[in-house]
Amino acid sequence: MARRFASLVPFYEYGESRFFQTDGAPESVAASRRAGFMRLSKLFAERFKKTAELTGEITGGVSDLQFTSRYRVPFQFRGYVRQHFKSGTFLESSSGVTVTDLDGNRLYDLTGSYGVNVFGYDFYKECIERGAERVRDLGPVLGAYHPVTAYNVRRLLQISGQDEISFHMSGTEAVMQAVRLARYHTGRNFLVRFCGAYHGWWGDVQPGVGNPLAARETYTLKDMDRASLRVLRNRRDIACVLVNPLQGLHPNVSAPGDSTLIDSGRSAHFDRDAYAAWLRELRAECSARGIVLIFDEVFVGFRIAPGGAQEYFDVRADMVTYGKTVAGGLPVGVLCGRAEFMRRFRDDRPADICFARGTFNAHPYVMGAMHEFLTRLETAAVGGLYRDLDATWNSRAKALNDRLTAAELPVRIANLSSIWTIYYSAPSRYNWMFQYYLRASGLALSWVGTGRLIFSLNYTEGDFSEVADRILSAAEGMQRDGWWWSDPKLTNKSIRRRVFKEMIQARWASTSPMGSISSPRIK
Ligand SMILES: Cc1ncc(COP(=O)(O)O)c(C=O)c1O
């Protein structure tokens, strides 16, 4: 359904005069928005000059950059925004909780490097350097293991509470292997995933938009919903259930990005007890039906507790995937699981195997950095970072929310520990602009903008209060410039209705023989 709908959405964009008034704001508000926009655009041109120039030189040849630079704001606004905001993608250094670009701008890092950065960039630099020293004599010899691997195996099995392990090169691959093994051992074909959950970019876990093929052996069920338990109970073809515990923050919703922020419909709220209760129900149902329960902890593993989601929610899975942070900053995927599900062969049927290899699996340099990561995890210094973890991040989120509420700003925070998302409490068509105000205030966000802020645990109270001040002053700037002007008639529903109408008009214009070309511009 989603894929079919996506293929029908026509491209159109707002011309300059419409850009500032898509919500019907009066001329004075549009003028204030325009002035703010141009001021910010000038600031970007001066402040991010070198970084933007180098990015501009290569973007035409880098598919990934072409994609991310297009999907930062709703498509109707992007042409005009891209023309005026060139910030670039290069960084030169990192230190503490900051990163520095080619123009020497030091920005507080809220990207978290897609979740890899749990303990601060200096920690990972050390893991990589010391890890490389440990394995230098062997170098990049593959196939055999460097002795540091033995420690990694022991520790990861202890931490996961599982029997066996396999090493891979990315989180995506670890999940692929978990599902393949579940199918092999159960003799059933279907995997279950929950609405909105990300498990990497391979076909079976990404049905719908983004994947040109339909995923034929995937059931996408509703998260935290009893009807889903009935499906598990009644079907005989389900091999495994994949859970990404990050969905506890926004069940049934995809990772929030600002390119879909056409109104203020985004919301999020994390209820640890309710999500834990749901996981326990899933656990019971899977056990009763012989379905393999897989926790995909590529994102949350080691971030929410040293023992990951299994420890945090006190529920044990049959298989667990890790990735991102666990190799001390180098690329990796890890699968840990119960022996009966991890075996790739059958003693009684020698030709019936479940094949999985990978040239770079257990690469000595990755194992070296992982060894450093895991040994440091046992130190008092790193252990201390987990102390009162939730209390710390919940109280920081609450304090910021209190300040935003007191200042009557329509911005709110929801968080799962150190993983934050911003949502908006009043209807607006311009929330996506907030990412540019934040950037101008010296905060680095990833390409999904305000949808995902990831803090490393080495943020001190001082660092955090600086970031909180900047978020507040960015929001005040956005408010002053009129982007959050509101009219009682403006609701999220009326915004969506208006956008839908524009789409119909654009589609008609692009298909009608009398219409303009395929990308109409609404003046
Ligand atoms: C829960 C989860 N699973 C799998 C993946 C894929 O990992 P990778 O990007 O290393 O392939 C990700 C990446 O964000 C993830 O968050």
Side-chain angles (χ1 to χ4, degrees), residues 114 170-173 175 198-201 244 296 298-299 324 332:
Y114 297 123
S170 66
T172 298
E173 271 191 83
V175 177
Y198 185 67
H199 295 285
W201 63 277
N244 175 357
D296 178 1
V298 168
F299 201 115
K324 296 201 190 270
V332 79

Side-chain angles (χ1 to χ4, degrees), residues 6 15 45 98 102 119 146 170 192 247 253 294 322 328 344 375 387 436 467 513:
T98 62
L102 310 191
F119 299 120
H146 188 282
S170 66
V192 163
Q247 289 303 112
V253 177
I294 305 169
Y322 302 109
R344 300 180 191 175
T375 46
R387 199 170 308 122
Y436 296 100
V467 167

Side-chain angles (χ1 to χ4, degrees), residues 270-286:
F270 176 57
D271 180 337
R272 182 173 174 175
D273 292 339
Y275 197 70
W278 166 243
L279 293 180
R280 282 196 296 276
E281 289 192 270
L282 274 181
R283 173 67 282 175
E285 210 54 64
C286 287

